[in-house]
Amino acid sequence: MSNQQIKWLILLLPSFVIGLWEYCRHEFLLSVVSMTMGNWLSPFIVFIVTFIVGRRLFRIMENNEEALKETKAKEAVLEERQKISQELHDSISQSLFLLSVQVKQLEGSAEQKKKIDQTIECIQQEVRYSIRTLRTPPPQTIDLKEALHSFAKQIEEESATIQVNVQWEIAPTELSEEEQLHLYTMIREGMVNCQKHAISPTSMKVFGKSTFDGWEVFVTDNGEAPNTLGTTPDNHFGLRFIHEQAARHGWDVSLSRLYEETVLRITKDESYDRANARLNR
């Protein structure tokens, strides 16, 4: 049963009940139930029938809405996986083209051979990471704090030299299911970028807290400044992905160097969003 049909049933149910009661009362119960008693019974009967049937209809409507949310979450996951697949395809194509050019120019040069070996190693790293991402996409509904702790543990197992600390103080009620999903993928991408591009990091931190009118998230590491710092997001798939996701939800993203740490900051300021909405009216 669709939500539109349920709404019509809820609207028509009281009229149908009162009409049926009045017909039965005048046709069959007039000698048994007085007019005064009938007038008192009418709202009571309408309330009882509407309450019993309406509760079931509302429950069906809530189930329909939950199913719709779940479907949207699945579509969001599939969309993100499709984007990652496309980026993986483009990255491998470019790297293989560069590799073929370098092979043609090799002509016995040891220096060129070394560059080719480095390119092949880079391709292997990108392919391994992308395949892992595609095989383990974020779940449709998540406990964001638990998911971050789980991914932090995975990074520590892969990189024995990096210790990951997660401090999460943002309540689940402050984010919708879709926002939790997308924020998780952004934080995860930031953590992977720290792991891949930071130079000799030994510590990584993920910190999320509520602010006066929104929230902010920090992903930091104590490694030396990576090559991605100061570059435009278009030059790097990870940064571009994070900026695209932030733009979709109206969040702010910055990457900077502070107190000998590389800091990725993601923020949401609802007061700023409301001010923009008023200006765009």
Side-chain angles (χ1 to χ4, degrees), residues 6 9 34 57 67 69 82 95 97 114 143 147 172 191 218 235 243 260 271 274:
I6 293 173
L9 282 175
S34 66
L57 294 176
K69 288 181 181 179
Q82 185 176 2
S95 299
F97 176 75
K114 184 178 179 181
D143 181 333
M191 295 170 71
F218 299 91
N235 296 332
H243 278 265
E260 298 184 354
S271 61
R274 288 196 294 268

Side-chain angles (χ1 to χ4, degrees), residues 6 9-10 13 17 46-60:
I6 293 173
L9 282 175
I10 293 173
L13 183 61
V17 172
V46 171
F47 172 77
I48 293 297
V49 175
T50 304
F51 178 77
I52 295 173
V53 179
R55 274 187 70 185
R56 181 171 180 80
L57 294 176
F58 279 120
R59 190 177 298 112
I60 295 174

